[in-house]
Amino acid sequence: MKRKPLVGISMKLYKNVSNDMIDYATHLKESFQSPETVDVFLLPSMGTLHPVADALKNSSILYGSQNMAHIKNGALTGEFSIESLLELGGTLVELGHYERRTFLHETHDLINQKVRLALSHGVSPIICIGEPEGLDEEAATAHLMDQIESAFNGCEPSSLTSAILAYEPYWAIGQAEAASPLHVHRMHNLIRGILTDLYNKETAQGIRMIYGGSVSKDTAGDILNHEDVDGVFVGRFGHDVNQFMEIVRLVKDSKPN
Ligand code: PGA
């Protein structure tokens, strides 16, 4: 099955001033010319989502939030609602990032509630999965299977192909270099196998899978060189919009239609 390549960036909590992000989004919108062949998304720092949404109106750049609450509305101080995301025209939400699982203690069950809320509202969850350092392949596979199975628990199998899996090994986030292409290829292949075992071949082949963790314009090319890698999820090495655009071009060129 043909899957559309996908490349995106999360600004985490790095660029928090509206004007910086409006400049970034505007530059990105002007530079990106190939929406038919590759999807590009931007997840700005949450406080700048509104101005970024305004800047990206009528463009082909997708955007969304880096998190959301597990309920639509109610007594949940300081959280961000899917209702606001939808009002802003966001179509994506990042869930289960390592930093939220680890520092904010998000549980499998909480992530699952968010995944179900997103899917039932037509928002594509970008579900981050990854293993901690030091696991052998068998233990890493069991860890990933647990994350996938719990995230999709109770979801209609037919809805799963609008989700995106981001494979982000914990030990490769925030480093000088990404995980090796060999490792990424092996794990993406294993994850595709896990999806086939848990659901079916069609679902497994339909879910897009991107690699994240210290990807740069220098490492993206080799990482992308495998059929189970549908794109990359960029962090710090995309803060310069020209560098991010170089990565977008690499994705486009390495995944011809
Ligand atoms: P990084 O972030 O590239 O800055 O490591 C990637 C991520 O956490 O998604």
Side-chain angles (χ1 to χ4, degrees), residues 12 94 97 99 168 172-175 212-215 233-236:
K12 300 195 183 182
E94 180 180 5
H97 188 275
E99 287 147 18
E168 305 206 334
I173 295 170
Q175 303 299 313
S214 309
V215 187
F233 194 2
V234 184
R236 288 156 299 140

Side-chain angles (χ1 to χ4, degrees), residues 92-168:
L92 300 159
V93 60
E94 180 180 5
L95 298 174
H97 188 275
Y98 153 76
E99 287 147 18
R100 297 198 65 86
R101 289 184 193 262
T102 307
F103 307 137
L104 300 168
H105 310 292
E106 290 208 357
T107 61
H108 283 354
D109 180 52
L110 185 71
I111 294 164
N112 172 243
Q113 290 182 57
K114 295 180 182 192
V115 169
R116 283 191 294 176
L117 187 66
L119 287 174
S120 65
H121 286 77
V123 170
S124 293
I126 304 167
I127 306 165
C128 300
I129 57 171
E131 78 281 9
E133 188 146 31
L135 300 192
D136 62 20
E137 192 171 283
E138 196 183 322
T141 306
H143 188 88
L144 293 167
M145 187 172 217
D146 192 31
Q147 288 179 331
I148 295 168
E149 196 170 15
S150 59
F152 286 142
N153 188 23
C155 299
E156 266 298 305
S158 62
S159 71
L160 301 189
T161 49
S162 64
I164 296 149
L165 286 183
Y167 172 60
E168 305 206 334

Side-chain angles (χ1 to χ4, degrees), residues 1-60:
M1 181 188 287
K2 191 81 199 132
R3 296 178 297 271
K4 190 172 184 190
L6 174 71
V7 48
I9 180 165
S10 162
M11 287 296 170
K12 300 195 183 182
L13 201 59
Y14 281 106
K15 289 184 190 264
N16 309 311
V17 175
S18 296
N19 278 345
D20 287 351
M21 277 313 297
I22 292 169
D23 283 353
Y24 190 97
T26 307
H27 190 150
L28 186 60
K29 170 168 120 172
E30 287 164 3
S31 318
F32 178 55
Q33 310 286 352
S34 11
E36 3 15 80
T37 48
V38 53
D39 282 336
V40 172
F41 69 83
L42 173 59
L43 307 182
S45 162
M46 297 288 269
T48 67
L49 184 55
H50 196 157
V52 165
D54 284 345
L56 293 180
K57 241 178 220 134
N58 304 319
S59 86
S60 47

Side-chain angles (χ1 to χ4, degrees), residues 167-209:
Y167 172 60
E168 305 206 334
Y170 294 0
W171 44 268
I173 295 170
Q175 303 299 313
E177 274 203 28
S180 74
L182 209 65
H183 177 84
V184 176
H185 299 167
R186 175 80 188 132
M187 296 313 283
H188 275 234
N189 188 255
L190 275 172
I191 295 165
R192 195 81 69 200
I194 291 173
L195 292 170
T196 310
D197 289 347
L198 287 176
Y199 310 106
N200 54 55
K201 190 144 189 241
E202 204 187 336
T203 304
Q205 288 300 320
I207 295 179
R208 291 189 287 180
M209 220 188 291

